[in-house]
Structure formats: structure tokens, C-alpha cells
Amino acid sequence: MKQLLKTLTETFSPSGYEDEIRKVITKEVKALADEVRVDALGNLIVRKKPSIGSKDARRIMIAAHMDEIGVMVTHVDENGFVRFTSIGGVYSRTLVGGHVRFANGISGVIGLEPTNAPNEIPPISKMFIDVGAISKKTCPVKTGDVASFERTFLDLGDRVVAKSMDDRIGCLVAIEALRALKSTPHDVYFVFTTQEEVGTHGAQTSAFGINPDLGFSIDVTGWGDTPGQRDFDVALGKGPAIKIRDGGMLSDARIVDWMIRTAEKAKLPYQREVLLGGTTDARAMQLVHGGVPVGCISIPCRYVHTPSEMVDFNDVKNSVKLIVSMLSNPVSI
Ligand code: CO
Ligand code: ZN
């Protein structure tokens, strides 16, 4: 599982450019699914049909986003320095001294204009990417090219660190749940979505297309267990977090209840999550057609939206177990 996570997180796929990660995931899920297709926005839709003779099958959609935050070139100056803007929630304080990699394999380092306030965090507009070019003419990247953070996977034992743990860890949980799910009474759609980081776009169209009876997303959430963190009751290693609300959504109370009852019955650790900022694909899923009851299973993650996002592998394994238990039994919602 860790080897697959390393591959998933080291794959290049900022929002809107999910081809590479979709190939990696397709290879993993093809033999496990009854149906695999790609929709117009690039969402990878992986269906597991209900076992023969099962009554009361519900159509359940589970979303994990494939895309990651990154940067996009706004222009290249005469001397070959690359100016850029963000794709998704990129914080300038995480950029200085970092590396990025473009789709064509070109890497660059992030440099900074001189400043009179060296202790202040400069805005992205004062930064540039140096790809080693000496002129605009010879610069190997151009306006509109996209790059992602470049950082190798780090295995610290129970804790693992990588770029794009948001949300490749959710993709891993979905893949492993599909692998472990021998049969289900439900019509299950695992959807590996596109463009979450720029506004949950892939989840919106795929949920509309699938028209599920109910569903949930699998995504990272924040953490409350490092020095100075406040007002967030989620820690690494204490189990999957069952989302009750976030900055964009109130989970459906019946879905929350289903998750908690299942966790307790299976004797799995879990945490109750109330996140004040941020949201997930579930927000978009909730609002299609006449509305869909949804929730979210969150993997606690430190340093979200930096190039070094950390999760606890026990939370990952327990998230897989929770989802398999949920999908193995009838649902009364
Ligand atoms: Co994110
Ligand atoms: Zn995410």
C-alpha cells in the first residue's frame, strides 16, 4: 500500500491536467471493477454492481479527487524568469526555496525579488520560477504551462509525508476499499474526480451524471495536534474523522449516523469533525438534481496544502475498513 501511495503522490497532475494520475489509477482498478469509464470532464468512474439477487440496492457515489494544487505561468520575462499564479489554494509562505516541475519534465526553483521587509511573507507576485533559462526565447516553458510541487515521498514509519497527499490518500483509500470489497448489496460508483481544488467541478458533473441516492467524499482534513494549533478536535492516529460540517457543507445527519454506527459496530476508532474552513467534493454532490444526502470521511492530515503533507497510516487502514463495512450491508437512508 505504501508503494502505491508513493507512486500516487509522486505523479504529476494539477487541476485540469489529470491524465497521468488517471492512468495510474485506471491500471489499479481495471481488474477490480464491473465498469470503468471516463466522462467529459475527465472524471474516472469505477462501478461495482450489486451482487445478484440483492434487494434494496442503493446507488452510492464515493468521490476522491485526483487533482492537486499547483501553479500556472502568467508570463516569461525577457531574461527567462517565469512569473506565475496559483492553481487552487497555494500559500506563498510554502513556496520560497521550493522546487516545481512542469508537465514537460522541466524543473525550476522559486526565487524572490529583494525586499525591505525580509521577515514578511511576500506575495506570489514578488516571486518567480528560475528554470535555468537565460532569455524568453530559449525558456522551455511558456504562458499557461502548469507545474506541481516537486517533493519525494518520505516514510517515517506510521507517519508518511508527501506532496499531494491531498487527495491521493483519498484515492488510495478508495482503491483499497474497492480491492477489499468482495461483494456489495449496492450499486457503488467510486469516482476519481477532477478539478476539486479549483471549485469541486468534476464532482458536480459526475454526481449529476450518476444521480446517486446517497454518497460521500474521501478527502483530507486539517489537524489540531501540533504546537499552537487551536479549536480543531482532530488528531493524527486517532482514526478516520467523520465530518459533521466544514466551511462549505453540513453533512446529512443520517449519513453521519450511518458512519458512526458502522464504526462502532466494527470496533473501529473514529473522530467527530467540525472544520471551520475548506470543503470537499461532497458539497457539490449534495446540490445536484433534487439534492443528495452526503457526508465525508476525512483522513487527518498535517500541513495541508504545503509540499509536505503528513498522514498516519493507521488512519488510512481504518478508513478502508470503515468504508468496506459501510458498503457491505444494507442502508436504511
Ligand atoms: Co485541497
Ligand atoms: Zn482535497
Short mmCIF file of all heavy atoms in Angstrom, two decimals, residues 181-244:
data_model
loop_
_atom_site.label_atom_id
_atom_site.label_comp_id
_atom_site.label_asym_id
_atom_site.label_seq_id
_atom_site.Cartn_x
_atom_site.Cartn_y
_atom_site.Cartn_z
N LEU A 181 -13.47 -5.01 -1.12
CA LEU A 181 -14.92 -5.21 -1.15
C LEU A 181 -15.24 -6.40 -2.05
O LEU A 181 -15.29 -6.27 -3.26
CB LEU A 181 -15.58 -3.94 -1.68
CG LEU A 181 -17.11 -3.86 -1.63
CD1 LEU A 181 -17.61 -3.84 -0.19
CD2 LEU A 181 -17.59 -2.60 -2.37
N LYS A 182 -15.46 -7.55 -1.45
CA LYS A 182 -15.67 -8.75 -2.26
C LYS A 182 -17.04 -8.72 -2.94
O LYS A 182 -17.17 -9.07 -4.10
CB LYS A 182 -15.49 -10.01 -1.40
CG LYS A 182 -14.07 -10.20 -0.90
CD LYS A 182 -13.03 -10.28 -2.04
CE LYS A 182 -11.61 -10.10 -1.51
NZ LYS A 182 -10.75 -9.29 -2.38
N SER A 183 -18.06 -8.33 -2.19
CA SER A 183 -19.38 -8.15 -2.81
C SER A 183 -20.13 -7.07 -2.04
O SER A 183 -19.78 -6.76 -0.90
CB SER A 183 -20.16 -9.45 -2.80
OG SER A 183 -20.54 -9.77 -1.48
N THR A 184 -21.14 -6.50 -2.67
CA THR A 184 -21.91 -5.44 -2.02
C THR A 184 -23.38 -5.56 -2.44
O THR A 184 -23.65 -5.94 -3.59
CB THR A 184 -21.36 -4.04 -2.39
OG1 THR A 184 -22.25 -3.04 -1.86
CG2 THR A 184 -21.23 -3.86 -3.89
N PRO A 185 -24.31 -5.26 -1.55
CA PRO A 185 -25.71 -5.23 -1.96
C PRO A 185 -26.05 -3.97 -2.77
O PRO A 185 -27.17 -3.83 -3.26
CB PRO A 185 -26.46 -5.23 -0.63
CG PRO A 185 -25.51 -4.67 0.37
CD PRO A 185 -24.13 -5.02 -0.11
N HIS A 186 -25.08 -3.05 -2.92
CA HIS A 186 -25.35 -1.74 -3.51
C HIS A 186 -24.75 -1.60 -4.90
O HIS A 186 -23.89 -2.37 -5.31
CB HIS A 186 -24.80 -0.63 -2.61
CG HIS A 186 -25.38 -0.68 -1.24
ND1 HIS A 186 -26.72 -0.45 -1.00
CD2 HIS A 186 -24.82 -0.99 -0.04
CE1 HIS A 186 -26.95 -0.60 0.29
NE2 HIS A 186 -25.83 -0.93 0.90
N ASP A 187 -25.23 -0.56 -5.59
CA ASP A 187 -24.66 -0.18 -6.87
C ASP A 187 -23.66 0.94 -6.57
O ASP A 187 -24.07 2.09 -6.35
CB ASP A 187 -25.79 0.30 -7.79
CG ASP A 187 -25.38 0.30 -9.25
OD1 ASP A 187 -24.27 -0.14 -9.55
OD2 ASP A 187 -26.21 0.73 -10.08
N VAL A 188 -22.39 0.59 -6.51
CA VAL A 188 -21.39 1.51 -5.98
C VAL A 188 -20.58 2.15 -7.11
O VAL A 188 -20.08 1.45 -7.99
CB VAL A 188 -20.45 0.79 -5.00
CG1 VAL A 188 -19.42 1.77 -4.43
CG2 VAL A 188 -21.23 0.13 -3.86
N TYR A 189 -20.48 3.48 -7.04
CA TYR A 189 -19.67 4.23 -8.01
C TYR A 189 -18.54 4.94 -7.28
O TYR A 189 -18.77 5.91 -6.57
CB TYR A 189 -20.52 5.29 -8.72
CG TYR A 189 -21.55 4.72 -9.67
CD1 TYR A 189 -22.76 4.21 -9.19
CD2 TYR A 189 -21.33 4.70 -11.04
CE1 TYR A 189 -23.71 3.69 -10.06
CE2 TYR A 189 -22.27 4.19 -11.91
CZ TYR A 189 -23.46 3.68 -11.42
OH TYR A 189 -24.39 3.17 -12.28
N PHE A 190 -17.33 4.42 -7.45
CA PHE A 190 -16.16 5.15 -6.97
C PHE A 190 -15.79 6.14 -8.07
O PHE A 190 -15.57 5.74 -9.22
CB PHE A 190 -14.99 4.20 -6.73
CG PHE A 190 -15.14 3.32 -5.52
CD1 PHE A 190 -15.64 2.03 -5.64
CD2 PHE A 190 -14.76 3.77 -4.27
CE1 PHE A 190 -15.77 1.20 -4.52
CE2 PHE A 190 -14.89 2.96 -3.15
CZ PHE A 190 -15.39 1.67 -3.27
N VAL A 191 -15.75 7.41 -7.73
CA VAL A 191 -15.42 8.42 -8.75
C VAL A 191 -14.14 9.14 -8.34
O VAL A 191 -14.05 9.72 -7.26
CB VAL A 191 -16.57 9.43 -8.93
CG1 VAL A 191 -16.23 10.41 -10.06
CG2 VAL A 191 -17.88 8.72 -9.21
N PHE A 192 -13.15 9.04 -9.21
CA PHE A 192 -11.89 9.76 -9.02
C PHE A 192 -12.04 11.06 -9.79
O PHE A 192 -12.01 11.07 -11.02
CB PHE A 192 -10.73 8.89 -9.49
CG PHE A 192 -10.64 7.60 -8.71
CD1 PHE A 192 -11.35 6.46 -9.12
CD2 PHE A 192 -9.90 7.53 -7.54
CE1 PHE A 192 -11.32 5.28 -8.39
CE2 PHE A 192 -9.86 6.34 -6.80
CZ PHE A 192 -10.56 5.22 -7.22
N THR A 193 -12.27 12.14 -9.05
CA THR A 193 -12.74 13.38 -9.67
C THR A 193 -11.62 14.30 -10.10
O THR A 193 -10.49 14.22 -9.60
CB THR A 193 -13.68 14.15 -8.71
OG1 THR A 193 -12.93 14.53 -7.55
CG2 THR A 193 -14.88 13.32 -8.30
N THR A 194 -11.97 15.22 -10.99
CA THR A 194 -11.05 16.24 -11.48
C THR A 194 -11.42 17.60 -10.89
O THR A 194 -12.55 17.81 -10.44
CB THR A 194 -11.14 16.34 -13.02
OG1 THR A 194 -12.50 16.58 -13.39
CG2 THR A 194 -10.68 15.04 -13.67
N GLN A 195 -10.46 18.51 -10.91
CA GLN A 195 -10.68 19.94 -10.62
C GLN A 195 -11.36 20.24 -9.28
O GLN A 195 -12.09 21.21 -9.17
CB GLN A 195 -11.49 20.57 -11.76
CG GLN A 195 -10.75 20.51 -13.09
CD GLN A 195 -11.41 21.34 -14.17
OE1 GLN A 195 -11.91 22.41 -13.92
NE2 GLN A 195 -11.39 20.84 -15.39
N GLU A 196 -11.08 19.42 -8.26
CA GLU A 196 -11.64 19.73 -6.94
C GLU A 196 -11.04 21.01 -6.38
O GLU A 196 -11.73 21.84 -5.81
CB GLU A 196 -11.38 18.56 -5.96
CG GLU A 196 -12.11 18.68 -4.62
CD GLU A 196 -11.36 19.44 -3.55
OE1 GLU A 196 -10.17 19.79 -3.74
OE2 GLU A 196 -11.95 19.71 -2.49
N GLU A 197 -9.73 21.15 -6.56
CA GLU A 197 -9.02 22.25 -5.91
C GLU A 197 -9.38 23.62 -6.48
O GLU A 197 -9.04 24.64 -5.91
CB GLU A 197 -7.50 22.04 -5.99
CG GLU A 197 -7.00 20.79 -5.26
CD GLU A 197 -7.08 20.89 -3.74
OE1 GLU A 197 -7.52 21.93 -3.21
OE2 GLU A 197 -6.70 19.89 -3.09
N VAL A 198 -10.04 23.64 -7.62
CA VAL A 198 -10.45 24.93 -8.18
C VAL A 198 -11.97 25.12 -8.09
O VAL A 198 -12.54 25.99 -8.78
CB VAL A 198 -9.96 25.11 -9.64
CG1 VAL A 198 -8.44 25.20 -9.68
CG2 VAL A 198 -10.44 23.98 -10.55
N GLY A 199 -12.65 24.28 -7.27
CA GLY A 199 -14.09 24.51 -7.06
C GLY A 199 -14.97 23.28 -7.24
O GLY A 199 -16.13 23.42 -7.64
N THR A 200 -14.46 22.10 -6.93
CA THR A 200 -15.23 20.83 -6.95
C THR A 200 -16.01 20.64 -8.26
O THR A 200 -17.14 20.17 -8.27
CB THR A 200 -16.20 20.74 -5.74
OG1 THR A 200 -17.16 21.80 -5.79
CG2 THR A 200 -15.47 20.79 -4.42
N HIS A 201 -15.36 20.97 -9.38
CA HIS A 201 -16.07 20.92 -10.66
C HIS A 201 -16.36 19.50 -11.12
O HIS A 201 -17.46 19.20 -11.58
CB HIS A 201 -15.27 21.68 -11.73
CG HIS A 201 -15.11 23.13 -11.42
ND1 HIS A 201 -14.18 23.93 -12.03
CD2 HIS A 201 -15.78 23.93 -10.56
CE1 HIS A 201 -14.27 25.16 -11.55
NE2 HIS A 201 -15.23 25.18 -10.66
N GLY A 202 -15.37 18.62 -11.03
CA GLY A 202 -15.57 17.24 -11.50
C GLY A 202 -16.64 16.52 -10.71
O GLY A 202 -17.44 15.77 -11.26
N ALA A 203 -16.67 16.76 -9.41
CA ALA A 203 -17.68 16.10 -8.57
C ALA A 203 -19.09 16.56 -8.95
O ALA A 203 -20.05 15.78 -8.94
CB ALA A 203 -17.42 16.41 -7.10
N GLN A 204 -19.19 17.83 -9.32
CA GLN A 204 -20.51 18.37 -9.66
C GLN A 204 -21.09 17.69 -10.89
O GLN A 204 -22.23 17.23 -10.88
CB GLN A 204 -20.37 19.88 -9.89
CG GLN A 204 -21.71 20.55 -10.11
CD GLN A 204 -21.57 22.07 -10.19
OE1 GLN A 204 -20.59 22.64 -9.70
NE2 GLN A 204 -22.52 22.72 -10.80
N THR A 205 -20.28 17.57 -11.95
CA THR A 205 -20.82 16.98 -13.17
C THR A 205 -20.97 15.47 -13.05
O THR A 205 -21.93 14.89 -13.55
CB THR A 205 -19.94 17.32 -14.40
OG1 THR A 205 -18.62 16.82 -14.17
CG2 THR A 205 -19.89 18.81 -14.64
N SER A 206 -20.02 14.81 -12.37
CA SER A 206 -20.14 13.34 -12.25
C SER A 206 -21.32 12.97 -11.36
O SER A 206 -22.03 12.00 -11.63
CB SER A 206 -18.84 12.73 -11.76
OG SER A 206 -18.44 13.28 -10.53
N ALA A 207 -21.56 13.73 -10.31
CA ALA A 207 -22.71 13.45 -9.45
C ALA A 207 -24.01 13.67 -10.22
O ALA A 207 -24.96 12.89 -10.09
CB ALA A 207 -22.68 14.33 -8.20
N PHE A 208 -24.04 14.68 -11.05
CA PHE A 208 -25.23 14.92 -11.86
C PHE A 208 -25.46 13.74 -12.80
O PHE A 208 -26.58 13.23 -12.94
CB PHE A 208 -25.10 16.23 -12.66
CG PHE A 208 -26.37 16.64 -13.35
CD1 PHE A 208 -27.28 17.46 -12.70
CD2 PHE A 208 -26.66 16.18 -14.62
CE1 PHE A 208 -28.47 17.82 -13.33
CE2 PHE A 208 -27.84 16.53 -15.25
CZ PHE A 208 -28.75 17.36 -14.60
N GLY A 209 -24.39 13.27 -13.42
CA GLY A 209 -24.49 12.15 -14.36
C GLY A 209 -24.90 10.85 -13.70
O GLY A 209 -25.71 10.09 -14.23
N ILE A 210 -24.36 10.58 -12.53
CA ILE A 210 -24.65 9.31 -11.83
C ILE A 210 -25.99 9.38 -11.12
O ILE A 210 -26.69 8.39 -11.00
CB ILE A 210 -23.49 9.00 -10.84
CG1 ILE A 210 -22.21 8.66 -11.63
CG2 ILE A 210 -23.87 7.86 -9.89
CD1 ILE A 210 -20.94 8.67 -10.80
N ASN A 211 -26.36 10.55 -10.64
CA ASN A 211 -27.60 10.75 -9.89
C ASN A 211 -27.74 9.77 -8.72
O ASN A 211 -28.68 8.97 -8.68
CB ASN A 211 -28.81 10.65 -10.85
CG ASN A 211 -30.08 11.17 -10.22
OD1 ASN A 211 -30.06 11.79 -9.15
ND2 ASN A 211 -31.21 10.89 -10.85
N PRO A 212 -26.81 9.81 -7.77
CA PRO A 212 -26.80 8.82 -6.69
C PRO A 212 -27.94 9.02 -5.69
O PRO A 212 -28.50 10.12 -5.58
CB PRO A 212 -25.46 9.07 -6.00
CG PRO A 212 -25.15 10.51 -6.27
CD PRO A 212 -25.73 10.81 -7.62
N ASP A 213 -28.29 7.94 -4.98
CA ASP A 213 -29.26 8.03 -3.88
C ASP A 213 -28.62 8.67 -2.65
O ASP A 213 -29.28 9.34 -1.86
CB ASP A 213 -29.76 6.65 -3.49
CG ASP A 213 -30.51 5.97 -4.61
OD1 ASP A 213 -31.33 6.65 -5.26
OD2 ASP A 213 -30.28 4.76 -4.84
N LEU A 214 -27.33 8.40 -2.48
CA LEU A 214 -26.59 8.96 -1.36
C LEU A 214 -25.11 8.82 -1.68
O LEU A 214 -24.74 8.18 -2.67
CB LEU A 214 -26.93 8.23 -0.05
CG LEU A 214 -26.73 6.71 -0.04
CD1 LEU A 214 -25.73 6.33 1.03
CD2 LEU A 214 -28.06 6.02 0.22
N GLY A 215 -24.27 9.43 -0.85
CA GLY A 215 -22.85 9.33 -1.15
C GLY A 215 -21.99 10.02 -0.13
O GLY A 215 -22.48 10.59 0.85
N PHE A 216 -20.70 9.94 -0.38
CA PHE A 216 -19.76 10.67 0.47
C PHE A 216 -18.45 10.88 -0.29
O PHE A 216 -18.18 10.20 -1.29
CB PHE A 216 -19.52 9.96 1.81
CG PHE A 216 -19.04 8.53 1.71
CD1 PHE A 216 -17.69 8.21 1.72
CD2 PHE A 216 -19.97 7.48 1.64
CE1 PHE A 216 -17.27 6.89 1.66
CE2 PHE A 216 -19.55 6.15 1.58
CZ PHE A 216 -18.19 5.86 1.58
N SER A 217 -17.68 11.82 0.20
CA SER A 217 -16.34 12.04 -0.35
C SER A 217 -15.32 11.45 0.62
O SER A 217 -15.62 11.20 1.79
CB SER A 217 -16.08 13.53 -0.55
OG SER A 217 -16.23 14.23 0.67
N ILE A 218 -14.14 11.20 0.10
CA ILE A 218 -13.00 10.82 0.94
C ILE A 218 -11.94 11.89 0.67
O ILE A 218 -11.50 12.06 -0.47
CB ILE A 218 -12.42 9.45 0.55
CG1 ILE A 218 -13.50 8.39 0.42
CG2 ILE A 218 -11.36 9.02 1.58
CD1 ILE A 218 -13.00 7.08 -0.22
N ASP A 219 -11.56 12.62 1.70
CA ASP A 219 -10.59 13.70 1.50
C ASP A 219 -9.81 13.91 2.78
O ASP A 219 -10.16 13.35 3.82
CB ASP A 219 -11.32 14.99 1.07
CG ASP A 219 -10.45 15.91 0.21
OD1 ASP A 219 -9.21 15.88 0.33
OD2 ASP A 219 -11.04 16.68 -0.58
N VAL A 220 -8.78 14.72 2.71
CA VAL A 220 -8.04 15.06 3.92
C VAL A 220 -8.79 16.16 4.68
O VAL A 220 -9.60 16.88 4.10
CB VAL A 220 -6.60 15.53 3.60
CG1 VAL A 220 -5.82 14.44 2.90
CG2 VAL A 220 -6.61 16.82 2.79
N THR A 221 -8.50 16.23 5.97
CA THR A 221 -8.95 17.39 6.73
C THR A 221 -7.73 17.95 7.45
O THR A 221 -6.61 17.45 7.27
CB THR A 221 -10.06 17.02 7.72
OG1 THR A 221 -10.56 18.24 8.32
CG2 THR A 221 -9.58 16.10 8.84
N GLY A 222 -7.92 18.96 8.26
CA GLY A 222 -6.81 19.57 8.99
C GLY A 222 -6.43 18.77 10.22
O GLY A 222 -6.78 17.61 10.37
N TRP A 223 -5.72 19.42 11.12
CA TRP A 223 -5.20 18.76 12.31
C TRP A 223 -5.19 19.75 13.46
O TRP A 223 -5.11 20.95 13.25
CB TRP A 223 -3.79 18.23 12.03
CG TRP A 223 -2.76 19.34 11.98
CD1 TRP A 223 -1.86 19.67 12.95
CD2 TRP A 223 -2.55 20.29 10.91
NE1 TRP A 223 -1.09 20.74 12.55
CE2 TRP A 223 -1.49 21.14 11.31
CE3 TRP A 223 -3.14 20.50 9.66
CZ2 TRP A 223 -1.02 22.19 10.51
CZ3 TRP A 223 -2.66 21.56 8.86
CH2 TRP A 223 -1.63 22.38 9.28
N GLY A 224 -5.29 19.21 14.69
CA GLY A 224 -5.26 20.11 15.83
C GLY A 224 -4.17 19.75 16.81
O GLY A 224 -4.19 20.20 17.97
N ASP A 225 -3.19 18.96 16.38
CA ASP A 225 -2.27 18.34 17.34
C ASP A 225 -0.79 18.66 17.12
O ASP A 225 0.07 17.83 17.37
CB ASP A 225 -2.48 16.82 17.36
CG ASP A 225 -2.25 16.18 15.99
OD1 ASP A 225 -2.24 16.90 14.98
OD2 ASP A 225 -2.07 14.95 15.95
N THR A 226 -0.50 19.88 16.64
CA THR A 226 0.90 20.34 16.66
C THR A 226 0.93 21.66 17.42
O THR A 226 -0.12 22.27 17.64
CB THR A 226 1.46 20.54 15.23
OG1 THR A 226 0.66 21.51 14.54
CG2 THR A 226 1.52 19.24 14.44
N PRO A 227 2.13 22.10 17.84
CA PRO A 227 2.22 23.30 18.70
C PRO A 227 1.46 24.50 18.12
O PRO A 227 1.60 24.83 16.94
CB PRO A 227 3.72 23.58 18.75
CG PRO A 227 4.35 22.24 18.55
CD PRO A 227 3.45 21.50 17.60
N GLY A 228 0.63 25.10 18.96
CA GLY A 228 -0.07 26.33 18.57
C GLY A 228 -1.37 26.13 17.83
O GLY A 228 -2.11 27.08 17.63
N GLN A 229 -1.67 24.89 17.41
CA GLN A 229 -2.94 24.66 16.71
C GLN A 229 -4.09 24.79 17.71
O GLN A 229 -3.98 24.34 18.84
CB GLN A 229 -2.97 23.26 16.10
CG GLN A 229 -2.07 23.07 14.90
CD GLN A 229 -2.51 23.86 13.68
OE1 GLN A 229 -1.94 24.87 13.37
NE2 GLN A 229 -3.52 23.38 12.99
N ARG A 230 -5.19 25.38 17.27
CA ARG A 230 -6.30 25.61 18.19
C ARG A 230 -7.65 25.25 17.58
O ARG A 230 -7.81 25.27 16.37
CB ARG A 230 -6.35 27.08 18.60
CG ARG A 230 -5.44 27.35 19.77
CD ARG A 230 -5.37 28.81 20.16
NE ARG A 230 -4.10 28.98 20.88
CZ ARG A 230 -2.98 29.38 20.32
NH1 ARG A 230 -2.95 29.72 19.06
NH2 ARG A 230 -1.87 29.46 21.01
N ASP A 231 -8.60 24.96 18.47
CA ASP A 231 -10.02 24.88 18.08
C ASP A 231 -10.30 23.85 17.00
O ASP A 231 -11.21 24.03 16.19
CB ASP A 231 -10.53 26.25 17.59
CG ASP A 231 -10.36 27.32 18.65
OD1 ASP A 231 -10.49 26.95 19.84
OD2 ASP A 231 -10.10 28.47 18.30
N PHE A 232 -9.53 22.79 16.96
CA PHE A 232 -9.86 21.74 16.00
C PHE A 232 -9.56 20.39 16.64
O PHE A 232 -8.42 20.08 16.97
CB PHE A 232 -9.08 21.92 14.69
CG PHE A 232 -9.56 21.01 13.60
CD1 PHE A 232 -10.91 20.96 13.25
CD2 PHE A 232 -8.67 20.18 12.93
CE1 PHE A 232 -11.35 20.11 12.24
CE2 PHE A 232 -9.12 19.33 11.91
CZ PHE A 232 -10.46 19.30 11.57
N ASP A 233 -10.62 19.62 16.80
CA ASP A 233 -10.59 18.45 17.65
C ASP A 233 -10.26 17.18 16.86
O ASP A 233 -10.93 16.17 17.00
CB ASP A 233 -11.97 18.32 18.32
CG ASP A 233 -11.92 17.46 19.56
OD1 ASP A 233 -10.81 17.15 20.02
OD2 ASP A 233 -13.01 17.10 20.06
N VAL A 234 -9.26 17.25 15.98
CA VAL A 234 -8.88 16.09 15.18
C VAL A 234 -7.36 15.92 15.29
O VAL A 234 -6.63 16.89 15.18
CB VAL A 234 -9.30 16.28 13.71
CG1 VAL A 234 -8.66 15.22 12.82
CG2 VAL A 234 -10.83 16.21 13.57
N ALA A 235 -6.94 14.68 15.56
CA ALA A 235 -5.52 14.39 15.70
C ALA A 235 -5.11 13.23 14.81
O ALA A 235 -5.94 12.36 14.50
CB ALA A 235 -5.20 14.06 17.16
N LEU A 236 -3.86 13.19 14.41
CA LEU A 236 -3.36 12.07 13.62
C LEU A 236 -3.33 10.80 14.48
O LEU A 236 -2.97 10.85 15.66
CB LEU A 236 -1.95 12.36 13.10
CG LEU A 236 -1.85 12.94 11.68
CD1 LEU A 236 -2.55 14.27 11.59
CD2 LEU A 236 -0.41 13.04 11.22
N GLY A 237 -3.73 9.68 13.88
CA GLY A 237 -3.62 8.39 14.56
C GLY A 237 -4.82 8.01 15.40
O GLY A 237 -4.85 6.92 15.98
N LYS A 238 -5.82 8.87 15.49
CA LYS A 238 -6.99 8.57 16.32
C LYS A 238 -8.18 8.09 15.50
O LYS A 238 -9.31 8.08 15.98
CB LYS A 238 -7.37 9.77 17.17
CG LYS A 238 -6.31 10.09 18.22
CD LYS A 238 -6.80 11.09 19.24
CE LYS A 238 -5.77 11.25 20.36
NZ LYS A 238 -6.09 12.40 21.23
N GLY A 239 -7.93 7.73 14.25
CA GLY A 239 -8.99 7.18 13.42
C GLY A 239 -9.49 8.14 12.37
O GLY A 239 -9.21 9.34 12.43
N PRO A 240 -10.25 7.60 11.39
CA PRO A 240 -10.84 8.47 10.38
C PRO A 240 -11.74 9.51 11.04
O PRO A 240 -12.37 9.23 12.07
CB PRO A 240 -11.66 7.52 9.51
CG PRO A 240 -11.67 6.19 10.18
CD PRO A 240 -10.58 6.18 11.19
N ALA A 241 -11.80 10.70 10.48
CA ALA A 241 -12.68 11.74 11.01
C ALA A 241 -13.99 11.72 10.22
O ALA A 241 -13.98 11.71 8.99
CB ALA A 241 -12.01 13.10 10.90
N ILE A 242 -15.07 11.64 10.95
CA ILE A 242 -16.40 11.66 10.32
C ILE A 242 -16.87 13.11 10.33
O ILE A 242 -17.06 13.71 11.39
CB ILE A 242 -17.35 10.71 11.09
CG1 ILE A 242 -16.86 9.26 10.89
CG2 ILE A 242 -18.80 10.91 10.60
CD1 ILE A 242 -17.60 8.23 11.70
N LYS A 243 -17.02 13.66 9.14
CA LYS A 243 -17.31 15.09 9.03
C LYS A 243 -18.75 15.39 9.41
O LYS A 243 -19.68 14.77 8.90
CB LYS A 243 -17.04 15.57 7.60
CG LYS A 243 -17.08 17.09 7.46
CD LYS A 243 -16.92 17.56 6.02
CE LYS A 243 -15.58 17.30 5.41
NZ LYS A 243 -14.47 18.09 5.99
N ILE A 244 -18.92 16.34 10.28
CA ILE A 244 -20.26 16.81 10.65
C ILE A 244 -20.54 18.13 9.93
O ILE A 244 -21.64 18.36 9.45
CB ILE A 244 -20.37 16.93 12.18
CG1 ILE A 244 -20.20 15.52 12.79
CG2 ILE A 244 -21.71 17.56 12.58
CD1 ILE A 244 -19.96 15.49 14.26
#
